[in-house]
Amino acid sequence: MNPIYVVFSANLATLALKIIAYLNSTSAAVFSDLLNDVADTIGSFLLVLGLYLASRRVRNQIYYPFGISRAVYVFGLISVSVIGGVLFTIAFLRGLATLFEGYPVISTGTSMVTMSTSLLINTALTAYSFYYYRTHRRDPSIIGSLLDSFIDTLGNAAAILALVTRNYMVDGVGSIFISAVLLVSAVSIGYRYFILLIGRSPPRGDMLRILNTIINTPGVYDVNELRAVMLTENDYIVIAEVEVEDSLSLAKMEELSREIENRVKKAVPEVRFFAVEFVARRNEPPTYRRLLDLIGKGS
């Protein structure tokens, strides 16, 4: 299962728990943590929507040759900027008001239990995200979720501390801290959307796997150009210029093209669209090493 679905389900669960906790306490930190979960749930929902749109076929592929899945990042960038900014402002001002006005902190057993349960879920989600990140070729699509779940755990702990101490100073500082957490989450999600929208290439490891797969395919002598872009976090477009024997027949070229595409998609399943252009073999030093150096240097 894609971890995005797990993240979205966990965010829904913690959001429900924090609503209950907020209704059973007067803590500004709990209120800010609730707003943070609202932002996280919206962000993860947009990612789920993106995965859904990526799996849908559009009616007219002439006008939308690569589908409409990128639309979710446009909406996501706008919503994160607007909603994230508004929620951050509300949480920050609530924390300041608590510090200056000295509002009393009232907590109940229900608020403690629900917030503690939420903390356990966030901790488990952080562990799961880290495990998935380490075991799935350091998948970049989970990095944002890993960061969000980790800082959410810290914010959750700050809210619980406010409930335990029932001290307005701890509550106010906790609320301000959580508002900062909310801001970091919004910026990190917005950055991911921005990078995808401007046409970032896939991660370095995937680029190296694609290049090595092509160059190691029998019949390929060199790779002159390799261009790849992330359509979404899980769908790549790859275009390659490959050197082959000039005596290769059209039928053999078509067969070789299918072989390269199958090998690349097997090595990197995120490659959804693949195109290869064949050129005659040149009596020059291999150029794929230059590509290896460029990929290794990164941006």
Side-chain angles (χ1 to χ4, degrees), residues 212-234:
N212 287 326
T213 299
I214 296 174
I215 197 64
N216 289 319
T217 301
V220 173
Y221 290 96
D222 199 6
V223 180
N224 296 330
E225 295 290 342
L226 179 63
R227 300 182 183 279
V229 64
M230 290 191 293
L231 185 62
T232 70
E233 291 182 314
N234 297 286

Side-chain angles (χ1 to χ4, degrees), residues 28-29 32-33 36 88 91-96 99 150-161 169-185:
S32 297
D33 205 21
N36 182 41
F88 161 74
F92 183 77
L93 293 177
R94 176 68 182 272
L96 287 180
L99 284 176
F150 174 70
I151 59 181
D152 284 348
T153 302
L154 295 180
N156 207 156
I160 290 177
L161 181 62
M169 292 290 291
V170 174
D171 191 39
V173 171
S175 179
I176 293 174
F177 170 75
I178 295 170
S179 69
V181 166
L182 196 159
L183 182 62
V184 170
S185 296

Side-chain angles (χ1 to χ4, degrees), residues 58-288:
V58 296
R59 293 182 179 179
N60 194 329
Q61 294 187 345
I62 296 297
Y63 291 119
Y64 304 100
F66 301 115
I68 57 175
S69 56
R70 287 168 67 87
V72 72
Y73 297 107
V74 177
F75 297 131
L77 188 58
I78 295 172
S79 65
V80 165
S81 301
V82 176
I83 297 175
V86 170
L87 295 182
F88 161 74
T89 303
I90 294 173
F92 183 77
L93 293 177
R94 176 68 182 272
L96 287 180
T98 299
L99 284 176
F100 288 110
E101 300 295 334
Y103 296 130
V105 180
I106 299 173
S107 64
T108 63
T110 301
S111 62
M112 286 296 301
V113 169
T114 52
M115 289 301 293
S116 298
T117 304
S118 176
L119 179 61
L120 289 175
I121 293 175
N122 279 327
T123 303
L125 182 60
T126 302
Y128 171 77
S129 299
F130 183 72
Y131 171 78
Y132 190 93
Y133 174 70
R134 291 292 301 272
T135 57
H136 288 72
R137 299 183 286 104
R138 298 185 181 275
D139 183 355
S141 67
I142 199 62
I143 293 178
S145 299
L146 174 59
L147 174 63
D148 290 340
S149 58
F150 174 70
I151 59 181
D152 284 348
T153 302
L154 295 180
N156 207 156
I160 290 177
L161 181 62
L163 291 177
V164 171
T165 60
R166 299 186 182 184
N167 184 291
Y168 79 92
M169 292 290 291
V170 174
D171 191 39
V173 171
S175 179
I176 293 174
F177 170 75
I178 295 170
S179 69
V181 166
L182 196 159
L183 182 62
V184 170
S185 296
V187 170
S188 66
I189 293 173
Y191 176 74
R192 287 159 58 193
Y193 291 165
F194 175 75
I195 287 297
L196 283 165
L197 288 172
I198 65 174
R200 181 70 163 84
S201 66
R204 185 179 306 173
D206 285 344
M207 291 291 289
L208 289 174
R209 264 183 290 275
I210 292 170
L211 179 57
N212 287 326
T213 299
I214 296 174
I215 197 64
N216 289 319
T217 301
V220 173
Y221 290 96
D222 199 6
V223 180
N224 296 330
E225 295 290 342
L226 179 63
R227 300 182 183 279
V229 64
M230 290 191 293
L231 185 62
T232 70
E233 291 182 314
N234 297 286
D235 295 297
Y236 305 161
I237 301 173
V238 178
I239 303 172
E241 182 183 290
V242 173
E243 288 187 20
V244 296
E245 287 288 356
D246 56 2
S247 59
L248 207 62
S249 66
L250 180 60
K252 288 293 184 181
M253 284 186 183
E254 291 178 350
E255 182 180 341
L256 180 57
S257 176
R258 288 192 296 270
E259 176 69 14
I260 296 173
E261 181 175 359
N262 290 336
R263 283 173 174 250
V264 167
K265 289 185 175 181
K266 183 177 180 180
V268 184
E270 290 84 357
V271 176
R272 185 177 178 188
F273 302 96
F274 181 84
V276 60
E277 178 185 358
F278 293 117
V279 296
R281 186 181 180 185
R282 303 167 184 169
N283 294 320
E284 300 175 356
T287 56
Y288 79 91

Side-chain angles (χ1 to χ4, degrees), residues 25-38:
S25 73
T26 60
S27 170
V30 171
F31 175 70
S32 297
D33 205 21
L34 170 61
L35 295 182
N36 182 41
D37 260 38
V38 170

